Amino acid sequence: MKNIKGQFISKTDIGLVRMINEDRAISLVNSCGDVLLCVCDGLGGHHKGDYASELAVKMLAESFRDKNKYYTGIDVRFWIYHMLNKINRVINNEAAHNEKYADMGTTIVLALLHGNKIYIAYAGDSRAYGFEKHQFSCLTTDQTYVNYLYETGQIKQEEMSTSKERHKLINALGTYPSVSYSLVIKKNTFNSILLCSDGLYNNATDGDIKSAVISNERIEQKIDTLIGIAKSNGGSDNIAISYWERNFND
């Protein structure tokens, strides 16, 4: 295995309100030293959302471990398309043919670190953040109805957090027969990458997230700190985090 640049960790927490944890998070490396981070937030209620998110991360992890090498960036993009299309089809078919799982789906955000690039694919409102030299930026755009209203000028930014439409998604895996996702490709000059479900950013400010990430704590403690902040602010939803941090000397 090639040298792995950086450390990575993933963790979920049920929060303080939900009865079931429908969030899933993984972080793993393949035989070439590529790193995959992923967060999924299941949709559909009791015993549906957790099944959809579990299916998604399991299929993704199994394929990633079996993939020995990506020869080019085109190979990476094709693998992402193939896997998200396959996961979407499996979840959608299960929902269509099993009444128990009707209307289930899952958000997804994944980051694949390959060579000097990072490939971020997402559907729904789970987010990816990048941290570079203490600069903090969100690398994804929430695929929600309230964000659509804001981008089309129908509401103001300060109205987004109180809008009745703020939890309504306009995209997720498995909710439609055909897959739809966004892909962002960046040169990986980041010091760290954080993926999370809305259970974190709805209960922690950007300042909270940045402060935890740039602290001198071990990565395990950083994630525990963030989960603790979200829970101290109400813990209104499940919390999922997948995190990668560059080694100091890399």
Side-chain angles (χ1 to χ4, degrees):
M1 182 182 291
K2 294 182 181 179
N3 290 334
I4 304 167
K5 292 188 176 181
Q7 308 172 70
F8 47 90
I9 187 173
S10 56
K11 191 169 185 178
T12 70
D13 191 281
I14 196 170
L16 300 177
V17 175
R18 304 290 188 182
M19 299 299 293
I20 295 175
N21 190 351
E22 297 182 319
D23 284 7
R24 297 292 184 272
I26 54 171
S27 53
L28 58 158
V29 63
N30 66 9
S31 59
C32 290
D34 299 322
V35 174
L36 176 69
L37 311 174
C38 182
V39 162
C40 290
D41 180 356
L43 318 168
H46 190 68
H47 293 315
K48 297 177 183 177
D50 55 329
Y51 182 59
S53 58
E54 183 67 27
L55 267 177
V57 297
K58 182 179 179 181
M59 292 175 65
L60 204 63
E62 288 177 351
S63 178
F64 183 71
R65 289 192 184 101
D66 291 340
K67 185 72 175 177
N68 293 324
K69 188 172 184 179
Y70 301 96
Y71 293 94
T72 67
I74 293 175
D75 292 328
V76 176
R77 294 194 295 271
F78 178 78
W79 179 81
I80 290 172
Y81 167 76
H82 169 72
M83 287 308 303
L84 294 189
N85 186 66
K86 183 178 180 179
I87 292 167
N88 188 85
R89 184 171 62 252
V90 169
I91 294 175
N92 187 261
N93 284 344
E94 188 75 19
H97 296 99
N98 188 333
E99 186 176 340
K100 179 180 178 181
Y101 298 121
D103 302 320
M104 73 173 174
T106 183
T107 73
I108 190 168
V109 57
L110 69 85
L112 200 161
L113 285 66
H114 171 73
N116 67 348
K117 297 221 178 135
I118 179 167
Y119 299 78
I120 299 169
Y122 62 97
D125 63 350
S126 292
R127 292 181 180 177
Y129 293 96
F131 303 83
E132 183 177 7
K133 297 178 181 177
H134 298 292
Q135 297 298 312
F136 166 80
S137 59
C138 185
L139 305 175
T140 54
T141 301
D142 294 346
Q143 295 174 343
T144 59
Y145 187 57
V146 72
N147 198 57
Y148 164 78
L149 293 175
Y150 169 67
E151 290 186 340
T152 55
Q154 299 182 57
I155 63 172
K156 297 178 180 179
Q157 187 172 14
E158 55 267 27
E159 297 176 284
M160 295 176 70
S161 62
T162 56
S163 171
K164 294 180 180 179
E165 310 291 348
R166 65 187 181 278
H167 299 302
K168 185 182 294 185
L169 295 177
I170 59 175
N171 192 24
L173 285 187
T175 53
Y176 300 103
S178 59
V179 69
S180 174
Y181 66 93
S182 296
L183 178 65
V184 177
I185 303 172
K186 299 275 190 181
K187 187 173 181 180
N188 189 9
T189 57
F190 298 103
N191 300 108
S192 55
I193 297 289
L194 184 144
L195 276 51
C196 67
S197 62
D198 62 343
L200 176 65
Y201 65 78
N202 281 337
N203 290 287
T205 67
D206 286 355
D208 291 331
I209 298 172
K210 180 180 177 180
S211 295
V213 168
I214 67 174
S215 73
N216 292 322
E217 295 178 325
R218 301 189 317 275
I219 62 170
E220 295 89 351
Q221 187 58 47
K222 292 179 180 183
I223 302 312
D224 287 341
T225 295
L226 285 170
I227 290 174
I229 290 171
K231 292 173 76 170
S232 68
N233 288 327
S236 61
D237 204 347
N238 307 146
I239 306 154
I241 300 172
S242 187
Y243 179 73
W244 170 85
E245 183 173 282
R246 189 182 299 277
N247 288 331
F248 182 76
N249 294 321
D250 289 341

